[in-house]
Amino acid sequence: MADVHECPKLKESFPRERNAPKVKRKKLLSSDYIIKKRQPFGRRQKQDNDIFITNKTNFKAQLKKCEKLLSNDTSEVIIHGLGATVQRACNLALQLKEIHYGSVELDTRTSTISIIDDFEPLDDNGNYETINRNNSAVHIRVFRKFSLGGLRYQE
């Protein structure tokens, strides 16, 4: 089969992606709109062992919450980080592994989550706008290698 670069007829039938016209998005000013962010798609029901990391919550408080869950015979804790909190979620999981002297394992998954932002106009003449964007996410499962119940001293 001939390569696109070798045959002029094939070149014309396959337009180049780089030369395709791009649709410019209208610039939305934050002074004209109220921005409301929806919850990300694909979010499942929150369970007791799910920890959602935010930049506003104190890191030590998040660490203590994970410690409390792991000490209450919970077999695993799932740490979720979205966007800017991905690094913070990774740091939290690594701190848990260090505190437990390697007795916990980490299972890390990454994903891309679709997020919708709603722009509501401040005046009656404006139009409602929605913008779809993608954001990176990390889901870290922290689980024990072995049960601590089997390690207790028995007479």
Side-chain angles (χ1 to χ4, degrees):
M1 182 164 182
D3 189 20
V4 174
H5 302 288
E6 295 173 6
C7 183
K9 287 183 182 179
L10 290 177
K11 250 186 186 177
E12 293 171 9
S13 64
F14 294 108
R16 293 188 158 235
E17 287 290 322
R18 287 185 274 174
N19 297 335
K22 293 183 180 179
V23 178
K24 285 194 173 185
R25 192 179 345 180
K26 184 174 70 171
K27 197 103 169 168
L28 300 175
L29 300 175
S30 60
S31 61
D32 299 336
Y33 293 93
I34 296 174
I35 302 171
K36 294 192 176 180
K37 297 181 179 184
R38 295 186 197 175
Q39 290 290 324
F41 287 141
R43 184 167 264 184
R44 58 187 175 91
Q45 288 288 331
K46 183 180 178 192
Q47 297 177 353
D48 293 336
N49 62 344
D50 285 333
I51 305 291
F52 294 98
I53 303 301
T54 64
N55 280 330
K56 294 180 181 178
T57 308
N58 188 358
F59 185 80
K60 286 188 176 183
Q62 292 171 338
L63 186 64
K64 285 182 182 179
K65 187 173 182 180
C66 292
E67 278 290 315
K68 185 178 177 183
L69 285 173
L70 284 172
S71 65
N72 289 339
D73 294 332
T74 304
S75 61
E76 67 180 11
V77 174
I78 302 172
I79 301 170
H80 303 276
L82 179 67
T85 63
V86 167
Q87 181 180 3
R88 192 174 184 139
C90 293
N91 285 339
L92 181 64
L94 290 172
Q95 283 291 318
L96 285 171
K97 188 171 184 175
E98 186 176 321
I99 288 170
H100 288 275
Y101 301 108
S103 66
V104 294
E105 282 292 317
L106 306 177
D107 179 29
T108 306
R109 312 258 171 166
T110 58
S111 64
T112 302
I113 295 180
S114 183
I115 298 175
I116 298 176
D117 296 333
D118 293 321
F119 289 83
E120 294 182 3
L122 292 174
D123 59 352
D124 293 336
N125 297 333
N127 293 329
Y128 285 90
E129 300 283 338
T130 58
I131 293 179
N132 296 328
R133 59 188 174 94
N134 293 326
N135 212 340
S136 301
V138 67
H139 314 280
I140 305 170
R141 190 176 74 122
V142 181
F143 60 96
R144 294 196 182 277
K145 286 185 192 178
F146 44 83
S147 174
L148 289 178
L151 295 177
R152 293 190 181 147
Y153 179 73
Q154 295 178 358
E155 292 184 30

